Amino acid sequence: MPRLAMLIDMTRCIGCDACTVACKQENGTPADVFFARVLNIESGHYPNVKRMYLPILCNHCDDAPCLKSCPNKAIVRRQDGIVLIDQDRCRGTGACVSACPYGNIYLNKKDEWYLDQDEPYEKDFVKPRLEENVARKCTYCAHRVDEGLDPACVVACPTDARIFGDIEDPESKISKYIVEQEEQTGREPFYLLPEAGTKPAGMYLGPMARQESHTGGNRASSEGTEPISHTSRLPEERRQGQSRDARAFLNRKMTLLRIATAVMALMVACFATAQSQMEPAALKIYTDSACSNCHGDHGQGDYGPAINVSKMSQDDFMKIVRKGVGDDMPETSAEEMSDADVIALYKAFKGAGTKVEKPTETPTEKPTEKPAEQANVQATPMEPNALKAYKKSPCSGCHGDQGQGGYGPAIDTSKLSEAAFMKIVRKGVGNMPETASDELSDEDALAIYQTFHKGPLQVEKPEPMEPATAGDAYTLSTCTGCHGVTGNGGIGPPLAGIALTEDQFLSTVRSGKGMMPGTPASVLPDETVKQIYKEFSAKKVNEDEVPISFKVGRFLSTQNVGRLFLFIFIIAAIFGFNNLFYWLRAAGLKQLRPYIAKFGRVRAAGVVVKALIVEGLGVASLFRKDKFRWAMHGLLIYGFFGLMAADIWMQIVNPARSDMSMVSGPKLLAVIAGVSVFLGLCYVLYRYKKDEYIDNGMTLGKDFLFVNLLFHTIISGFLTVAINKSGANDWLMTVYIYHLASISLLILTAPFTRFMHVWVAPSMVAMTRLVEEITASGVDIGFEREPSPGRHHKSQRIAAQIVSMFDPEANDEVKVRYYP
Amino acid sequence: MATRHAVPGRHHKPVKQANVRIVRTTDSPNCTGACGWLATVVDDTIVDLKPAADYDCAEYNPRGCLRGMAMTHLIYGPDRIKTPLIRQGERGENKWKEASWDEALDYIADKMKAIIRDHGPESIMLFNQVVGTGYVQKGAQVRMAALLGMSFGTAYDFNGDISMGYTQTVGIDSVECETKSWAHAKTAILWSSNVFQTRIPDAKFLTQYAKQRNNCEIIAIDPRCSQTAKGADQWIPISPGTDGLLALSMCQVVLDQGLVDWEFLKSFTDMATLVREDNGMRLRASDVGLGSDMQFVVWDAAHKRLFVLPTDTLRLPDDVAPAFQGEWTVKVGGADVKVKPVFELVKEEVMKPEYSPEAVEKVTDIPADTIRNIAVTYATNRPSTIIVGMGVNHRLHGDLTIRSILLLSALVGAHGKPGESVSIYSGQHHFRIDVSPWWFPDGKRPNAIPVHYFSLGKPTESINPKIKFPKDGFKGLICSHANPLVTEFSGLVKQAVDKLDLFVTIDFQMTPTCEYSDVVLPAPTFWEKNELVATGCHPYLQIQQEVVPPQHQSKTEMWMTKEILRRIDPSLLKHFEMDEFGAMRLMLDNPDCPEVEGITVEQLQKGPVRLKVHDPECGLDAQIQEFKPFPPRAYPFPEGAQREFLKTARMEFYKEEAIYQKMGETVPTFIPAFSHMSEEERLFPFSIVTPHSKWRVHSTHCNNNVLRNLNRKPVVEIHPIDAAARGIEDGDVVEIHNNYGSYKLWALLTETIKPGVLCVDHGWWDQFLAEGKYHSVHTHQKIKPTHEAYYLPAVYAPGQHWKDTRVDVRKVN
């Protein structure tokens, strides 16, 4: 693929500005707009001064900040690398003006021209080509390039200092020149502001002239005047440059931020690696296997639960692997994973333990707590036939091969009637699926009933429930479906050791909470509920029986979710601020600081706040140019604000996040805001369908990610509400977690997706306004003299780089001068 | 070639594409670059200019610069004069009557007829600036002046660009290499020359060729770290006005270290000719009975006898060994006369202790070691070239500086070969071809007179008798292609203009000079008329085409002169029966001019045609390579016109004339730059330099809005030390003043200028200053008597000395 690039040889350039004028003529630019310009740099002190000329033009960056910052996607990158601003699509927002670290984008509210109104030269041939209040910049003369011609500045350069062509083609003029110059003069091309990370297509070769200076140290001979000492210099403070302290301060701050980011990253990394205590070989088997797709890279759990084999025999493990469990975990054939590998994994996980849930526990510390092993030793043998039937049945997949419990609870039929048992088997309970008679014959089922009538074959017997009637009431209630047969939890939390008061318990049962449905008194009389409460509030929870899912679920308490989001917000904020600092650096904030000080910090803050409100919140540029687009954009932006407001409101009136009526204030606001965002999003999707800039050459993936995440978030949000209302509780948790996960991802990825335009565009526009105000106020002679106002500080940054490269002794004694 | 089909980004409103023409032409402003252009014309509007880049010699492509490209903004600019204007009210009041051409021409013709009747035609002066920029249109004006017997004010001397040191040494006012010659140099000394601004299309021969290919050592000698110093390996910040001292010190180093090229001195210089001790004159062959008084003798050391130098060639017989050192006694008219070769006299001067590097360091502020180094580099790292800028020449004693520089180059023999020369690119004063057949009908010449005398208002006591000052003084001035009221001596010119009965200005835009005129005639720009153009910078003859018709009511200069002649004396119209191309044919069909042999108008209409000259053409290459006697012919004067002031036909480092002897300037010497000034003048602490600006060609483009967008205000460059002493901060309004006047502009504090020096770039129109008249600070006008010893218009004539000005600067509150 071709990549057009321009090389400027500083040895050849004589700073004549022919390019500047040729460009003006070719592109018909108005006054103060210079797509091509030449920096006139001087450094050092007399007599050790150096002068350098540096032509500047759009670098058509591979990683163009202007393109990324444009909220309207009006900037595109062509296949050949040329970055263009679509003049029709640009809304004159001004974000790109600040985003370009080189200061190569021009936006004039009102164009000034050079000639009288009635001169056809300007009226008919120049003015019609560009519109005011639209961002404009060098196009590498795309219209000429398309006709096989070189850009105007290249053609007009009287010293051949500009070499243009396809850098990917080794036979092109530019490629050959680079090779030839490296051989002949030892010069290698360099880029401007490499720290900006823009990957520019503009390259430079350095000056060859030594520019030594020789003086005897006298003052200019003016007859009658005394020579002055060579060492007579200027006051120290003038040479020092006043920004040094400020710079050090900013550097320190940036360093702190970097350290903080690094520590965070390190913590995340440690957290991830702490779980991997497997041997590398086993780990490899695991990561290669399909298991890791769901259970996480280290078995720590991801889509599926964390792998915990502490309560499983090797056979159980094998069976689960081969047959699958539940709806989600599929069977795995021997072809996909050999027995030997499965055994190896079993051993590995046995050794590794389950650091996710109990990081401090290791299997060797608590060998006695392994029910499966103890069962093998201590269990009274089952009737061989029944055991055989049980082991063959799907039941053992969850309940353990000895019925001692595994993924599902231990089997204890002692408190069940035969009929109740059969009902549970055939119809399923909670997570437990129904089992048809062809999977398990009535005979076998009954045999199993008998076998487990004396309780499960486990060492740690649950403490007996009393009174038996209460146990029956509980077991027969729908509660077991979620809370587990032993009340140690299933899909729902364990009831044992419940911390609620009796009244709270009752009210929760009646009205439900979260995904738990309300149960009317007709189904479960108050008496029974109270009995159940009495029983479980006095009982101690058996941690080993609490299912993993609930251990995760318990983690998802309102507080924990809050904490989690806080954490996510902090992480996102770190990246986001880092990201924002990148843009502020690109906008030249550091170089602008001395001028802000002169301008007045309070005054500057006023300008910024006003811009943030008018241009950021109000999206004034869009409002000016296209009211409909503004309204559509408003659906999204104000919808978002509505969602945030609803959340804050909720936090104030209902911090526990218990169920509220749909017509309550926060809920209503959230729904309206959500609908607004949804509609806005639909418009975005509709636009994307027919948008020729869907691929602008750089941000497609990021845009796609953002839009999809947003879409998923909104949809899953609405689904959560809908499911909650419809009572399809089986899906509630899943969808809700999905919603939370989407939000988390949306926030975490925000600094890397198009979401970032939320803070990049307003901050860049605010910078643009600030620079405009500073320029207009004439606080500095540089801004006042500059032919293209508003980029003096960026020019200084470029000049500083050039001087540090070619006149390192001059330190920060750099001046960008404009004339003569 | 221009393409105007699209706007950046997306096609917005397509530009109309009907009636598109692309025309190849040449521009001819007074930068004298003569660059070829392709103009894109739509509906008779020039919409785009791009370098034509069609020269056979690829190194010359492309030629052009920002000023050329910005020309559309002058062609269509707001200051264009639309109709003839006749003054109402006082001069300079800027009240005008828009007149018809008939009215204006009748007015002028009536006034001219009255002056001719009452005071004679020589009382009317034509001044059309540097004539080499346009052979046809300017030639028509000169042709009219010749036919009427008017005075013709020569500009080259008025501009101060005439390098009298060159004339005195080489017999011609200056010599330039085709710029391609620089490409061969391994040492290049830019002696106050700012080629990166003043020779933009040619600068690549220094950067891209000399520097990149030869790793040429480029040395910039300049009190100011100019744009060109940026491309130099060494910047030598010299004290203003001490360049001659530096040159002589370098000569001493060359002599000291035995780096002299004796072969060069033997053939091409007068160094071996003998000078009589009794009267300081050169020993003639006639003195010793060996030949005529235009033949000179040397001491042949091989045969221990006098040898008469040949006059038809510079080549000496192989067995002749001219002696450069020694003293002999010869019999002249029976008397014993001691004679010495010129070299002895030169050596005596150069070896004086005040020219030792250590002594010179104190005055020039250049370390002695540096002086030695650059002298040795120049002498040994060959080929080496010197490009002289006008900073050294625009001084009363600039001639001595140039003579010293030429002495340095002659001692090491750096002349006449690719990359070896001393070039002065100051104005297109040289004609590349003989324009006489068009300019001087039937051999009639106008009364050429240095403009110096016009502005002085009277002849000097020592004026050369060949100069005919009008008996009643000047009564009329026709000023064309010129803006003399925007120069350093505008005050004096204005005083002279105030005494005139008629002041006509011909221009395409309303300059300060136009504003002060009686009648203003609108002329076309060089994009609206036909012209024949050549330059000293490259060897191509080119035609300037009428790309668009003359704008508004403007008419070509040739049409104007015809119409004036018709009103004064219709019988003279027979000399104007041809059009512009007819005039070109007159100059091309000239057997007396070998450079144009075989070149036709038809060829030129197709594109640039190379003159019949060496490749590359180096200054003095015919002399050095072919041993042709000095000096080169100065067109439009006949061969031999310069013989009287270069009698030896060699580079002369000894001037024998009585006035030189009286002034003590027989051999190159140093006289402090400001020593001729009064004590009062000398007390002003700053030396002021006035370089050309890259934003203008002299004062042209000063009002070009595009270029003013880049260069908004006139500034004075001042060193922060000097500024601090006067409480001046960057951007302040300051007043530059001396005892002649003052003007106000803005301060630019910069480390790139030597303390004690101020710099204001030249050519600002007064209206752009903060206040006052541009360059009303000056020295009084002086003419150096040695410059009046002979007279050949614009070749041997007195020049101006703008840079001998001292000023002070103060902050304006």
Side-chain angles (χ1 to χ4, degrees), chain B residues 279-420:
Chain B
N279 61 4
M281 299 296 281
R282 248 184 264 272
L283 186 68
R284 262 75 175 166
S286 55
D287 291 342
V288 288
L290 293 172
S292 79
D293 64 350
M294 283 297 276
Q295 286 177 295
F296 299 89
V297 290
V298 299
W299 181 258
D300 179 4
H303 302 90
K304 303 245 183 301
R305 61 178 164 90
L306 291 173
F307 173 78
V308 180
L309 292 173
T311 52
D312 54 344
T313 175
L314 295 176
R315 199 188 297 277
L316 301 186
D318 288 342
D319 61 339
V320 172
F324 291 100
Q325 303 187 61
E327 193 182 37
W328 302 275
T329 306
V330 296
K331 290 250 186 248
V332 179
D336 279 350
V337 174
K338 282 190 175 168
V339 292
K340 269 185 194 173
V342 167
F343 184 81
E344 277 285 355
L345 300 168
V346 168
K347 192 178 162 191
E348 267 169 38
E349 176 69 23
V350 169
M351 294 312 286
K352 280 182 181 167
E354 60 254 44
Y355 300 133
S356 73
E358 279 69 21
V360 166
E361 170 175 346
K362 294 195 184 78
V363 187
T364 60
D365 193 23
I366 301 169
D369 285 346
T370 305
I371 297 173
R372 288 201 177 82
N373 285 341
I374 57 177
V376 171
T377 304
Y378 176 70
T380 57
N381 190 30
R382 306 290 284 272
S384 36
T385 193
I386 295 176
I387 301 171
V388 176
M390 284 298 106
V392 304
N393 190 55
H394 282 178
R395 295 181 181 278
L396 188 72
H397 299 301
D399 57 340
L400 287 172
T401 306
I402 302 278
R403 285 174 73 190
S404 305
I405 292 172
L406 286 169
L407 173 63
L408 172 68
S409 61
L411 286 175
V412 303
H415 275 284
K417 293 184 281 285
E420 299 247 290

Side-chain angles (χ1 to χ4, degrees), chain B residues 670-708:
Chain B
F670 176 72
I671 299 176
F674 305 104
S675 57
H676 63 283
M677 290 163 46
S678 71
E679 181 70 17
E680 199 189 358
E681 286 172 321
R682 281 206 303 257
L683 275 176
F684 284 94
F686 287 100
S687 193
I688 186 166
V689 295
T690 52
H692 289 177
S693 165
K694 79 173 171 188
W695 311 107
R696 295 185 289 285
V697 178
H698 299 284
S699 73
T700 309
H701 290 291
C702 194
N703 55 337
N704 187 320
N705 286 335
V706 166
L707 299 177
R708 284 224 307 128

Side-chain angles (χ1 to χ4, degrees), chain A residues 394-440:
Chain A
C395 312
S396 58
C398 289
H399 297 284
D401 59 350
Q402 305 289 327
Q404 79 280 20
Y407 179 68
I411 299 176
D412 182 356
T413 58
S414 56
K415 287 175 198 119
L416 288 175
S417 66
E418 238 178 76
F421 179 77
M422 286 309 282
K423 191 179 162 195
I424 289 170
V425 170
R426 291 291 173 234
K427 300 218 161 162
V429 164
N431 273 355
M432 177 174 157
E434 58 230 52
T435 310
S437 52
D438 53 351
E439 285 173 270
L440 187 69

Side-chain angles (χ1 to χ4, degrees), chain B residues 480-527:
Chain B
S480 179
H481 300 82
N483 193 5
L485 295 187
V486 179
T487 62
E488 286 84 339
F489 288 92
S490 53
L492 287 167
V493 175
K494 205 156 146 188
Q495 282 168 25
V497 167
D498 282 341
K499 295 178 196 151
L500 298 174
D501 296 339
L502 176 66
F503 180 25
V504 179
T505 304
I506 301 168
D507 209 320
F508 66 89
Q509 52 184 351
M510 205 65 184
T511 64
T513 302
C514 290
E515 285 175 6
Y516 206 69
S517 309
D518 299 335
V519 184
V520 178
L521 299 180
T525 66
F526 32 71
W527 296 85

